[in-house]
Amino acid sequence: MKKRNVISILLYLMGSILFIISNLSVTSHSLIDLEYYQRIILCSIAVGSIAIAPFVYKSKNVIGTIIKFVVTVVLIYFIFSFKGFEDNRIANTLSLL
């Protein structure tokens, strides 16, 4: 596996982990205690790293490029659909589960 491909995968993982960490801070009994502006910064970095990931390593074929683009769009969509940028919305969603 090429070095750029590994970096691209790590950017996807870093963005997903940062999003999870930022939203775990608002759930009850969490060990992570972040202010709202800190959560916004973490979510912004998460979206940025996910958005950059497909461009670090461009696939030689069109199908690989399309797959990376779809993964990027889906991950960013989840961040906005779970309202990662709004205060305490993810905690309400998690408590309903």
Side-chain angles (χ1 to χ4, degrees), residues 27-40:
T27 58
S28 60
H29 307 299
S30 176
L31 298 175
I32 302 169
D33 186 29
L34 298 174
E35 297 293 325
Y36 178 64
Y37 71 91
Q38 293 170 325
R39 287 183 48 236
I40 292 295

Side-chain angles (χ1 to χ4, degrees), residues 14-73:
M14 183 181 83
S16 301
I17 290 170
L18 285 176
F19 173 67
I20 291 169
I21 288 172
S22 70
N23 285 300
L24 281 177
S25 67
V26 295
T27 58
S28 60
H29 307 299
S30 176
L31 298 175
I32 302 169
D33 186 29
L34 298 174
E35 297 293 325
Y36 178 64
Y37 71 91
Q38 293 170 325
R39 287 183 48 236
I40 292 295
I41 291 171
L42 284 181
C43 282
S44 299
I45 294 170
V47 168
S49 69
I50 291 169
I52 290 171
F55 302 109
V56 170
Y57 177 75
K58 294 185 180 181
S59 301
K60 291 182 180 178
N61 55 16
V62 177
I63 295 172
T65 304
I66 291 172
I67 290 171
K68 289 178 91 172
F69 181 73
V70 168
V71 167
T72 300
V73 170

